[in-house]
């Protein structure tokens, strides 16, 4: 039977080894959350990196790891520490990620990491070729694997390949600064169908194809040799029912059934009749605008002191890419800002900011979404932003306000939210 093979850098579960035992914990992040529902819905295999380098996996545990992954319909690509450094922390996260999010000043163009990116993309392609039959559908995800489509096509000219980019595709003027711009485009053009979150990203991509490769483009078709490649926008959604059902179930819980977090949230609500929660949830990433948001919250409290003791900002930040220097600096900046603002403005009965730097179980995410009056999402740039959609899906009583950056892909679809320009401090 034909199957769908999903390929992304990370698998939907991450493995942890402790005392010779393997545990699989769900991966956090937009891609993993979004694709999980597709993966569990049919006959599919997910290929990706397990999150552990070859050096971290004892030889004798390999069979155990393989069977733990097989239980989750997954199969791993093995990467050494050096490969993870060059491919993941290097080219993917110090070149492509900042460049595609318009952080040109953070983009590093290192030949060595590019070479590793190519070699690792070939490893992913080989893993697909080993598992795929000609009638299977191959669905490749995201900026870490942009060369894989062409690498698979070279060996299996007739197989169906789709590619989806989860981050913005930047305008031609930005993209053209990449030394390996033609190779990246050619890699992507191994696909039959290339998807983006928004029409703007699609338009930028087509413009780069036309100008850098000189190919014929008609509407959203690209003509390459005897092939026609389709390009389109597919704004990614969420598993709406999962979030709204969970929210309804939480609203019916008795006092005994509530989580500790929910009880704390309820206590704060009762402390003042018009107490409000602002919520922000992101991976700790410089593209998400977390530091600006904290500064804006402090500014708000100083400008409108009547809100002191009435509002509280809950910041939930998932640790991310902590090996990259910009992320370490950001972590320090956010820690310091939270410390300074809380130190300056707290009273005996009130702390303005609750800051959680960790991943949270789904149950607690729902507690936060359903208890917060305002979701405050102000990324500087964001491919889509699924948190905005998750928040709306949990507002089953139809209350709540979404304040959303117009630089997030989701702003295109959610124009009843309060849209702000994240660079306009007063507006935030
Ligand atoms: P991300 O940058 O990871 O995704 P986003 O779309 O907001 O951003 O998804 C984050 C996901 O992680 C959400 O499902 C959220 O619930 C979850 N999450 C965040 N913090 C959490 C925490 N502390 N604990 C548990 N879960 C947490 C990338 C792109 C986005 C794009 C997605 C999907 O950067 O622009 O929307 O892929 O394509």
């Amino acid at each position: 039977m034909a199957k769908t093979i999903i390929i992304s850098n990370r698998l939907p579960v991450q493995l942890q080894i402790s005392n010779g035992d393997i545990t699989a914990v769900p991966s956090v992040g937009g891609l993993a959350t979004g694709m999980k529902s597709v993966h569990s819905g049919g006959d599919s295999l997910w290929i990706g990196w397990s999150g552990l380098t070859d050096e971290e996996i004892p030889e004798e545990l390999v069979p155990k790891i393989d069977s733990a992954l097989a239980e989750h319909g997954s199969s791993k690509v093995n990467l050494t520490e050096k490969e993870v450094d060059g491919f993941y922390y290097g080219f993917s996260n110090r070149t492509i990620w900042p460049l595609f999010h318009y952080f040109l000043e953070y983009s590093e163009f290192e030949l060595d990491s590019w070479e590793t990116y190519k070699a690792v993309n070939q490893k992913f392609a080989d893993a697909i070729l080993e598992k795929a039959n000609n009638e299977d559908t191959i669905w490749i995800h995201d900026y870490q694997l942009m060369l894989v489509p062409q690498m698979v096509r070279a060996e299996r000219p007739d197989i169906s390949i789709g590619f989806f980019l989860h981050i913005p595709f930047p305008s031609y003027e930005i993209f053209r600064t990449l030394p390996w711009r033609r190779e990246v485009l050619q890699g992507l053009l191994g696909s039959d169908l290339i998807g983006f979150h928004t029409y703007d990203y699609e338009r930028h991509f087509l413009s780069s194809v036309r100008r850098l490769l000189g190919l014929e483009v008609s509407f959203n078709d690209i003509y390459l040799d005897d092939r026609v490649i389709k390009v389109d926008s597919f704004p990614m959604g969420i598993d709406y029912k999962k979030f709204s059902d969970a929210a309804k179930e939480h609203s019916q819980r008795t006092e005994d059934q509530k989580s500790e977090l929910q009880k704390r949230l309820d206590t704060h609500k009762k402390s003042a009749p018009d107490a409000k929660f602002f919520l922000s949830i992101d991976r700790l990433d410089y593209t998400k605008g977390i530091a600006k948001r904290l500064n804006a919250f402090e500014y708000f409290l100083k400008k409108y002191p009547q809100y002191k003791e009435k509002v509280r900002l809950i910041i939930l930040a998932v640790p991310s890419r902590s090996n990259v220097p910009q992320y370490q600096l950001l972590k320090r900046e956010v820690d310091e800002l939270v410390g300074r603002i809380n130190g300056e403005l707290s009273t005996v009965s009130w702390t303005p900011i609750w800051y959680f730097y960790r991943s949270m179980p789904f149950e607690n995410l729902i507690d936060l979404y359903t208890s917060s009056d305002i979701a405050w999402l102000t990324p500087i740039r964001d491919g889509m932003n699924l948190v905005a959609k998750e928040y709306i899906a949990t507002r089953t009583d139809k209350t709540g306000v979404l304040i959303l950056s117009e630089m997030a892909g989701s702003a295109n679809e959610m124009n009843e939210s309060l849209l702000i320009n994240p660079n306009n401090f007063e507006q935030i």
Side-chain angles (χ1 to χ4, degrees), residues 308-333:
K308 283 185 186 169
E309 306 208 330
K310 291 194 178 140
V311 296
R312 174 168 278 152
L313 171 60
I314 305 175
I315 294 235
L316 179 56
V318 166
S320 184
R321 305 173 198 168
S322 38
N323 286 18
V324 179
Q326 271 97 18
Y327 291 76
Q328 294 160 0
L329 288 174
L330 175 67
K331 166 79 172 53
R332 198 174 319 144
E333 187 183 5

Side-chain angles (χ1 to χ4, degrees), residues 265-294:
L265 294 164
D266 291 350
T267 307
H268 173 79
K269 286 251 149 157
K270 284 184 204 130
S271 68
D274 44 3
K276 302 276 182 224
F277 281 122
F278 285 58
L279 176 66
S280 81
I281 299 187
D282 325 76
R283 274 182 315 96
L284 192 73
D285 196 296
Y286 51 82
T287 59
K288 305 286 185 180
I290 302 170
K292 272 194 184 160
R293 202 179 305 151
L294 284 166

Side-chain angles (χ1 to χ4, degrees), residues 28-31 33 97 101 164 166-167 197 236 281-283 288 316-318 358-360 365 369 382-387 390:
V28 173
L31 191 159
T33 324
W97 177 271
H101 287 87
F164 189 77
H166 290 258
I167 65 174
H197 282 303
M236 184 163 161
I281 299 187
D282 325 76
R283 274 182 315 96
K288 305 286 185 180
L316 179 56
V318 166
R358 69 185 86 134
S359 165
M360 277 223 182
L365 277 186
Y369 281 137
D382 211 339
M384 172 54 72
N385 194 299
L386 298 180
V387 173
E390 292 170 6

